[in-house]
Amino acid sequence: MSAEMPVPPRAEARPVTTTHHGRTRVDEYDWLRAKEDPAVLAHLEAENAYTQARTAHLASLRGRIFEEIKSRTLETDLSVPTRVRGYWYYGRSFEGRQYGATCRVAVGDPDDWTPPQPAADARPDQPALPGEEVLLDLDALAEGHEFFSLGGSSVSPDDRLLAYATDVVGDERYTVRVLDLSTRELLDDELTGVLGGVTWGGSPDHFYYTTVDEAWRPDKVWRHRLGTAQADDELVFHEPDERYFVGVGRTRSRRFVMIAASSKTTSEFHVLDARDPHAAPVCFATRTDGVEYSLEHAVIGGTDAFLVLHNAAGPEFELGLAPAEPTPLEQWRPLLPHDESVRLEDVDAFADHLVVQQRSQGRPRVRLLRLSHDLAAPIAADAFIDFPGELATVGAGGNPAWEQPTIRVGMTSLARPSAVYDHDLRTGELVLRKQAPVLGGYDPDAYEEHRLWATSVDGVQVPISLVVRKGARGPAGNDPVPVHLYGYGAYEASMDPYFAVARLSLLDRGGAFAIAHVRGGGEMGRHWYDDGKLEHKQHTFDDFIACARHLVDSGWSTPDRIVAEGASAGGLLIGAVANQAPESFGGFVAGVPFVDTLTTMLDASLPLTVPEYDEWGNPSDDPAAYDRIAGYAPYDNVADLPYPPILAETSLNDTRVLYVEPAKWVARLRERAPQADVLLRTEMAAGHGGVSGRYRAWEDRAFSLAWILDRLGLADVEPLG
């Protein structure tokens, strides 16, 4: 490093030795865990200053990328209205404002389910529709706070009250307030330490919410009665098993309140009658180790029933039918039997239909089942809502009404902006309600989408989704291009193809974007997830490396022009791959990365550790799990390797992956791989999801993208279009 270059910070080594199962471990940097220690904060600030100095030459590029994102975005915009009882609800965004507003208007004709079209050019001080009622001005709520997040908002059953939850720190612990929509006055009720939003009961005098234990695990469900103190709230349900998370919600029929207690491998539902404000939860089916199920209320031929989506019949799940009362799994009648080629992911019940979300061969699909009036033969018709294109991502959402005659569906791909459709259940017509606008003359047909297949070390075929601008590969169409390769690979989370405005700053400079659909995710079904966790976790890393090498072997790119990125568990992927195949990449971006995996999984007091044993293993009790995690944990395997440049990004208030993990990782990289070029950037007022506010989010993404473009050799390339 030349004399002109800034000197990277060096964390003091303060070795701590621990022994587990006869294995001794030395950790020099765990003192960075002391969040309130001035020396720790000073170190993080020094890292930020170093990162800013090292990337100062990219300031102009960051500014251009920000302006590119801004110029392509319709800043004053509205969502498609969604009907709930007697109102249409929608969101508004305004040029120059970070957060926007949530609004509603009364339904005119109760038989007309065509959403009204708000005036797109309405100023912030003008209603977008006649009779518009602003429910929440989010910019006003965020005023004076560097961070702001709306955890959820819910209107009472009589449409008169609005309960909403806010977080102004980033630790995902919310404060709930209740607004009288007729007087615009806040009620005295104020609840703190709530996880997310609330669920109203059957009447507007009470609602349900969850809180967390000392390890920040959601473990309790409470019933709050309006006008009373939080200290007087009734504990409705408590889950003592540290492996289980608790959640509460209400069925679309509004007939039941459901409490779910779920681990990574087992679940149990408790049901409350929403009509009874004093109802006690009743267990539907007691937990059986390894059996996961969820409940949905349906009415078939005038009879209440429960739809049970479960894996008792096979790993890809089956849809069963049961009475609306406690029922053991042996009595769940198959409605959609288990099919090893189809992963059933979710089911939503409506008055006359069921909507099933499933996937096969890596492709998500929406399935419509029309209900009969015969409980013995409940399915009258079976059809799919399909869209063309192998990389089309489709899903149902925004369908809150029990008796609605339309089903709202969203579609997107790597090249096509998200679109909102209404499928008319009466006619079968599919109506486009809105295509997300992309300004500047964007043409999706100017881009190519590809599905590639890489062969992993054990012979398994791993899908890759890729998008590139037409002509970027030269006249013959086979020149290598710089590739930004993204991966995740955990928790059965599917990284399906999606559109992003910010990505155009890469594509229009001649780069390609690709997603490696590695094992550990859910893209190819439950077996894809099972084959990428616990003792099979190495498959996740092997798959990602295989995808990068396939891009090279097939002529798409060269190793020095592939920059890999992943966040959270995807950050673990990036850290592991950096140790195992640094020569296959030209750079790494690790966002809020889970890189100190062994330390975290050895500490049962930390958030998420115990519930995560079923994902990673329990190294405290199991020597094999200890050795396995120690074998791939990025922090434990740092060595003097030819790492390409690395950018690690984190947030001080992250409660899911603590900032200390990337801070320690970077410190050890600097110590053990002195030639490595490593940067750490810490947001000092944000959480796991990063900064809040859309303009700050654009600036944040512009920082990362500028670094990626620089590594790909595209920093000085002028974008086309």
Side-chain angles (χ1 to χ4, degrees):
M1 188 172 290
S2 67
E4 292 78 14
M5 295 289 284
V7 178
R10 294 281 181 174
E12 179 185 354
R14 304 179 188 177
V16 175
T17 301
T18 57
T19 301
H20 295 84
H21 313 298
R23 286 82 161 161
T24 298
R25 223 174 143 237
V26 178
D27 191 342
E28 307 91 344
Y29 302 109
D30 205 57
W31 65 273
L32 292 170
R33 186 177 304 278
K35 182 178 176 181
E36 306 301 327
D37 186 341
V40 172
L41 296 176
H43 176 73
L44 297 177
E45 294 286 12
E47 289 281 11
N48 281 346
Y50 175 70
T51 296
Q52 288 297 327
R54 286 293 317 282
T55 60
H57 65 292
L58 299 175
S60 176
L61 178 59
R62 291 196 293 266
R64 293 198 302 275
I65 294 173
F66 176 85
E67 290 300 328
E68 289 165 14
I69 298 171
K70 189 171 184 289
S71 67
R72 292 176 175 130
T73 303
L74 183 61
E75 297 182 67
T76 298
D77 200 7
L78 306 103
S79 65
V80 179
T82 297
R83 182 168 164 179
V84 182
R85 295 185 294 274
Y87 290 88
W88 290 100
Y89 291 83
Y90 54 98
R92 295 185 64 181
S93 62
F94 309 105
E95 183 176 357
R97 297 192 183 182
Q98 294 275 14
Y99 301 100
T102 60
C103 309
R104 73 178 183 181
V105 294
V107 170
D109 181 355
D111 295 325
D112 185 2
W113 282 80
T114 302
Q117 292 187 330
D121 58 351
R123 299 194 311 266
D125 59 346
Q126 292 179 326
L129 285 168
E132 177 180 274
E133 180 181 359
V134 177
L135 302 181
L136 291 176
D137 181 339
L138 302 182
D139 288 280
L141 290 174
E143 189 173 352
H145 301 290
E146 190 172 349
F147 179 92
F148 172 81
S149 174
L150 180 69
S153 61
S154 181
V155 177
S156 61
D158 63 357
D159 300 316
R160 185 177 59 86
L161 303 174
L162 175 70
Y164 65 94
T166 58
D167 169 20
V168 295
V169 176
D171 61 2
E172 301 180 63
R173 301 303 173 258
Y174 295 85
T175 297
V176 173
R177 298 303 309 268
V178 181
L179 178 68
D180 187 316
L181 294 174
S182 59
T183 66
R184 303 301 301 177
E185 293 181 353
L186 287 171
L187 304 189
D188 291 335
D189 304 71
E190 182 174 6
L191 285 66
T192 60
V194 174
L195 184 68
V198 308
T199 297
W200 288 95
S203 59
D205 60 356
H206 69 283
F207 57 70
Y208 299 86
Y209 65 94
T210 59
T211 58
V212 299
D213 62 12
E214 292 183 358
W216 292 34
R217 173 185 65 94
D219 70 322
K220 296 182 179 70
V221 175
W222 303 83
R223 181 159 46 212
H224 175 75
R225 302 189 185 280
L226 294 185
T228 66
Q230 185 176 5
D232 297 328
D233 287 350
E234 178 184 0
L235 179 62
V236 175
F237 183 84
H238 175 225
E239 175 54 64
D241 192 324
E242 293 179 313
R243 298 172 300 166
Y244 285 76
F245 279 31
V246 168
V248 62
R250 187 168 168 174
T251 58
R252 182 176 286 98
S253 64
R254 310 194 69 80
R255 177 70 173 77
F256 298 102
V257 172
M258 300 283 196
I259 297 174
S262 303
S263 74
K264 296 292 182 183
T265 60
T266 307
S267 54
E268 179 180 87
F269 270 69
H270 297 254
V271 183
L272 295 87
D273 188 336
R275 300 169 299 184
D276 181 359
H278 305 284
V282 176
C283 182
F284 169 71
T286 56
R287 65 192 65 173
T288 300
D289 191 41
V291 174
E292 302 170 57
Y293 74 87
S294 61
L295 282 189
E296 179 80 349
H297 174 229
V299 178
I300 303 173
T303 301
D304 287 323
F306 282 149
L307 303 169
V308 192
L309 189 63
H310 65 90
N311 67 344
E316 304 302 334
F317 284 69
E318 175 175 283
L319 182 60
L321 188 65
E325 59 189 33
T327 308
L329 65 87
E330 295 81 7
Q331 297 177 24
W332 301 345
R333 181 159 61 93
L335 197 61
L336 292 179
H338 178 264
D339 181 343
E340 64 180 14
S341 66
V342 177
R343 170 68 162 98
L344 301 180
E345 294 186 321
D346 198 11
V347 60
D348 291 299
F350 299 85
D352 300 313
H353 284 74
L354 307 181
V355 177
V356 177
Q357 301 201 153
Q358 63 182 61
R359 65 174 57 243
S360 55
Q361 298 180 332
R363 184 178 180 184
R365 303 186 75 188
V366 174
R367 186 174 184 177
L368 294 179
L369 304 176
R370 183 162 58 84
L371 294 173
S372 72
H373 297 287
D374 182 2
L375 197 60
I379 304 302
D382 187 346
F384 288 90
I385 302 176
D386 278 327
F387 294 87
E390 189 177 15
L391 271 62
T393 297
V394 60
N399 296 295
W402 173 249
E403 294 183 344
Q404 63 186 64
T406 61
I407 297 298
R408 184 153 293 171
V409 178
M411 192 280 288
T412 186
S413 76
L414 290 174
R416 300 197 174 272
S418 60
V420 176
Y421 294 84
D422 278 344
H423 176 88
D424 193 313
L425 296 170
R426 300 159 296 189
T427 66
E429 184 182 13
L430 191 65
V431 180
L432 175 64
R433 296 301 183 193
K434 180 167 185 165
Q435 179 94 46
V438 181
L439 305 182
Y442 176 75
D443 179 9
D445 292 330
Y447 302 84
E448 304 173 1
E449 296 181 276
H450 297 271
R451 173 57 57 85
L452 312 175
W453 295 88
T455 304
S456 198
V457 292
D458 59 353
V460 169
Q461 295 292 294
V462 182
I464 305 169
S465 298
L466 182 145
V467 62
V468 66
R469 191 176 178 111
K470 290 178 179 177
R473 301 195 70 192
N478 57 6
D479 292 346
V481 294
V483 176
H484 175 198
L485 180 63
Y486 193 87
Y488 187 74
Y491 305 115
E492 203 181 358
S494 296
M495 296 291 107
D496 292 314
Y498 64 96
F499 181 83
V501 166
R503 187 187 303 142
L504 298 178
S505 293
L506 165 75
L507 301 181
D508 289 350
R509 286 175 169 83
F513 175 79
I515 302 172
H517 302 290
V518 297
R519 279 174 284 184
E523 290 91 337
M524 302 295 285
R526 171 53 68 92
H527 75 281
W528 201 248
Y529 168 51
D530 290 337
D531 209 23
K533 69 173 186 175
L534 294 173
E535 66 270 19
H536 306 300
K537 190 60 197 172
Q538 182 58 39
H539 289 159
T540 303
F541 316 133
D542 290 340
D543 289 357
F544 194 80
I545 295 167
C547 288
R549 291 176 176 166
H550 178 77
L551 291 172
V552 173
D553 294 341
S554 59
W556 273 99
S557 195
T558 57
D560 60 314
R561 302 179 81 194
I562 298 176
V563 170
E565 182 178 18
S568 196
L572 161 61
L573 165 65
I574 294 301
V577 167
N579 289 330
Q580 295 180 22
E583 73 287 344
S584 294
F585 301 88
F588 294 108
V589 178
V592 289
F594 183 36
V595 284
D596 193 14
T597 322
L598 186 56
T599 300
T600 294
M601 296 310 299
L602 284 167
D603 189 346
S605 70
L606 290 176
L608 304 181
T609 292
V610 173
E612 298 285 286
Y613 287 158
D614 289 327
E615 181 80 20
W616 312 102
N618 181 355
S620 294
D621 294 346
D622 182 0
Y626 182 100
D627 291 340
R628 182 172 64 247
I629 296 172
Y632 65 72
Y635 182 62
D636 289 86
N637 289 280
V638 169
D640 190 5
L641 299 170
Y643 296 106
I646 296 173
L647 171 62
E649 300 177 301
T650 187
S651 296
L652 185 64
N653 296 326
D654 190 345
T655 56
R656 301 193 188 195
V657 180
L658 303 185
Y659 73 91
V660 68
E661 298 206 22
K664 290 171 59 176
W665 182 49
V666 168
R668 182 169 279 183
L669 280 164
R670 292 237 175 85
E671 178 62 29
R672 297 189 179 180
Q675 302 305 313
D677 181 4
V678 189
L679 301 179
L680 173 66
R681 185 166 70 103
T682 304
E683 289 291 344
M684 304 303 285
H688 193 66
V691 297
S692 66
R694 59 173 174 172
Y695 295 110
R696 284 194 288 267
W698 295 349
E699 291 171 348
D700 188 67
R701 191 57 189 157
F703 186 98
S704 307
L705 269 176
W707 190 89
I708 291 169
L709 290 174
D710 193 36
R711 289 304 314 148
L712 292 175
L714 299 174
D716 297 325
V717 176
E718 289 298 318
L720 298 173

